[in-house]
């Protein structure tokens, strides 16, 4: 119904608008919630068309190039706090949010520049009304019946809406992929939110616990670089993207709850960051190979939606667990258990050799 450019432009407008609303109108927590929801919807709308347009430009080398792009996430995260602090110091808090929202509107220009490579613009064809009768040898055969059986009605409705998830039916690999990526997003959110809190629960001062976040960030950057290399040599697969990284994450998170040595914790956090960097980039780069070309758009929509839900659950479930048990150590132990529980899925994915190029659904 809408082109990638249209969806992206609308998303870009909403992204910046949420922050501008924060600067001008927000006085209560519910207004804040509404403003951030607007921005969140905007970022969600931009994600899918950006992924698809990038995949169309780099079909053969998608894995390598998307790994290179993912490195810049850390550059943006590092750059944003000082920029916002400069705006806040120079123009005040509210005006800083307005300026940041206006700066975010560069996404509108970026999405406007979306171009499909090497193809002419596809024009929408008007759907012609199909006649209810067909003419054979000059004789008109009337429509079979105006009364449709209830069973056929139900079957028709089921087929209509089940096709929205046909990629899950047609591609078994994709089902394993979705579960593993969803678990990965859940784990990363939980790990990132409660990393410093776990450090203080182990007896570190707040000043030293903050350096665990730094170690994790450095590890994530190194993991992204390693992912680029693995994609470049065509070695990114179920083992290197999921089985090995998730095993290391599980071991490191579990071990972190049984030591109070600052340097050991930094080392374990560093390796966790490396593994998260490889895992997130790896599964993201392999998505186009999980389904046939016909199901790619649908698969991306399902994947992005599931990832959004997993991120929300990662914070909510971990927060509830910390409140229930009184310590974030149990969060890390639960996450480690979840890592080990997901490993059989990676093995099943690795041994699934069904082709994805052909599909009858």
């Amino acid at each position: 119904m809408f082109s990638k450019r249209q969806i992206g432009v609308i998303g870009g407008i909403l992204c910046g608008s949420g922050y501008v609303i924060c600067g001008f109108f927000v006085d209560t927590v519910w207004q804040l919630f509404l403003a951030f929801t607007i921005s969140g919807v905007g970022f969600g709308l931009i994600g899918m068309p950006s992924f698809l347009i990038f995949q169309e430009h780099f079909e053969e080398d998608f894995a390598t190039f998307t790994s290179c792009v993912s490195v810049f996430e850390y550059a943006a995260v590092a750059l944003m706090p000082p920029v916002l602090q400069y705006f806040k110091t120079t123009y005040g808090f509210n005006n800083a949010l307005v300026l940041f929202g206006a700066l975010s509107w560069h996404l509108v220009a970026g999405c406007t520049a979306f171009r499909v490579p090497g193809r002419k613009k596809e024009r929408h064809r008007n759907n012609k009304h199909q006649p209810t009768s067909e003419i054979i040898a000059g004789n008109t055969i009337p429509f079979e019946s105006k009364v449709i059986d209830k069973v056929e009605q139900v079957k028709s409705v089921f087929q209509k809406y089940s096709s929205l998830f046909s990629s899950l039916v047609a591609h078994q690999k994709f089902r394993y992929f979705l579960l593993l990526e969803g678990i990965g997003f859940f784990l990363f959110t939980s790990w990132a939110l409660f990393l410093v809190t776990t450090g203080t629960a182990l007896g570190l001062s707040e000043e030293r616990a903050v350096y665990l976040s730094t170690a994790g960030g450095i590890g994530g950057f190194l993991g992204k670089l390693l992912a680029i290399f693995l994609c470049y040599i065509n070695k990114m697969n179920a083992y290197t993207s999921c089985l090995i990284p998730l095993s290391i994450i599980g071991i490191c998170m579990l071990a972190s709850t049984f030591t109070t040595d600052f340097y050991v914790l930094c080392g374990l956090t560093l390796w966790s960051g490396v593994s998260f960097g490889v895992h997130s980039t790896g599964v993201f780069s392999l998505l186009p190979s999980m389904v046939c070309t016909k199901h790619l758009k649908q698969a991306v929509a399902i994947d992005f939606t599931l990832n959004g839900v997993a991120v929300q659950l990662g914070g909510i479930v971990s927060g509830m667990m910390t409140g229930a048990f009184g310590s974030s150590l149990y969060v890390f132990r639960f996450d480690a258990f979840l890592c080990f529980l997901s490993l059989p899925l990676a093995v099943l994915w690795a041994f699934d050799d069904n082709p994805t190029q052909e599909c009858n659904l």
Side-chain angles (χ1 to χ4, degrees):
M1 293 177 63
F2 301 95
S3 68
K4 301 181 188 72
R5 184 185 302 161
Q6 290 170 332
I7 295 173
V9 167
I10 293 171
I13 293 171
L14 292 177
C15 287
S17 298
Y19 290 102
V20 172
I21 291 172
C22 277
F24 280 133
F25 305 111
V26 169
D27 294 316
T28 68
V29 67
W30 289 108
Q31 290 174 341
L32 182 68
F33 177 80
L34 176 62
F36 278 6
T37 299
I38 291 172
S39 288
V41 170
F43 283 119
L45 288 174
I46 286 177
M48 179 180 169
S50 299
F51 179 94
L52 290 172
I53 202 74
F54 193 80
Q55 191 271 337
E56 290 174 358
H57 277 273
F58 301 100
E59 289 183 357
E60 297 181 358
D61 300 311
F62 175 79
T64 301
F65 280 101
T66 194
S67 301
C68 293
V69 169
S70 66
V71 174
F72 288 90
E73 294 173 7
Y74 286 88
V77 170
L79 184 62
M80 187 176 70
V83 169
L84 283 176
Q85 185 61 40
Y86 172 77
F87 285 165
K88 180 181 175 182
T89 303
T90 308
Y91 304 105
F93 181 72
N94 287 356
N95 290 333
L97 289 173
V98 174
L99 285 171
F100 184 71
L103 187 64
S104 299
W105 278 329
H106 80 282
L107 295 167
V108 176
C111 294
T112 303
F114 280 172
R115 294 288 185 276
V116 178
R119 300 176 190 172
K120 294 182 179 180
K121 295 180 180 179
E122 296 182 0
R123 295 182 178 179
H124 296 285
R125 297 179 180 179
N126 295 325
N127 294 325
K128 295 182 179 179
H129 178 67
Q130 297 296 328
T132 57
S133 61
E134 63 180 29
I135 300 173
I136 300 178
N139 297 324
T140 302
I141 300 177
F143 187 71
E144 292 180 358
S145 175
K146 293 182 180 180
V147 180
I148 302 175
D149 187 78
K150 292 295 182 183
V151 176
E152 292 298 323
Q153 268 190 337
V154 173
K155 183 179 178 181
S156 176
V157 171
F158 176 78
Q159 289 177 342
K160 178 181 177 181
Y161 289 101
S162 64
S163 64
L164 296 174
F165 304 97
S166 56
S167 57
L168 293 171
V169 178
H171 304 288
Q172 183 170 273
K173 264 186 203 175
F174 182 51
R175 297 198 292 269
Y176 299 140
F177 173 89
L178 278 179
L179 289 172
L180 286 165
E181 189 176 23
I183 290 171
F185 271 90
F186 177 95
L187 293 170
F188 177 77
T189 304
S190 177
W191 174 76
L193 289 177
F194 291 90
L195 183 59
V196 176
T197 306
T198 301
T200 55
L202 290 167
L204 298 180
S205 65
E206 291 185 4
E207 290 76 12
R208 301 196 85 183
V210 169
Y211 286 104
L212 295 179
S213 181
T214 303
I218 294 172
F221 179 78
L222 295 175
K224 297 286 187 181
L225 295 179
L226 178 58
I228 294 174
F229 176 72
L230 291 172
C231 290
Y232 179 74
I233 63 175
N234 199 28
K235 293 297 182 181
M236 190 63 79
N237 49 48
Y239 296 113
T240 53
S241 69
C242 290
L243 186 65
I244 296 174
L246 289 174
S247 298
I248 295 174
I249 291 169
I251 293 171
C252 290
M253 293 186 79
L254 185 61
S256 295
T257 63
F258 293 102
T259 181
T260 57
D261 187 277
F262 172 70
Y263 296 103
V264 173
L265 286 170
C266 282
L268 293 171
T269 304
L270 179 73
W271 277 106
S272 294
V274 171
S275 302
F276 274 120
V278 172
H279 171 70
S280 61
T281 303
V283 292
F284 196 74
S285 66
L286 291 172
L287 175 55
S289 65
M290 293 295 103
V291 295
C292 63
T293 305
K294 183 175 71 174
H295 279 131
L296 181 59
K297 288 183 179 180
Q298 181 190 106
V300 172
I302 294 173
D303 181 60
F304 278 37
T305 303
L306 179 65
N307 292 342
V309 173
V311 168
Q312 299 300 320
L313 290 176
I316 294 170
V317 173
S318 300
M320 293 174 63
M321 195 175 298
T322 302
F325 294 102
S327 174
S328 58
L329 295 179
Y330 293 96
V331 172
F332 268 42
R333 289 169 185 169
F334 172 78
D335 289 346
F337 171 75
L338 192 59
C339 282
F340 300 138
L341 196 65
S342 66
L343 297 182
L345 292 174
V347 175
L348 290 172
W349 172 15
F351 280 94
D352 187 347
D353 56 357
N354 292 323
T356 58
Q357 288 78 13
E358 299 179 1
C359 180
N360 295 324
L361 291 179

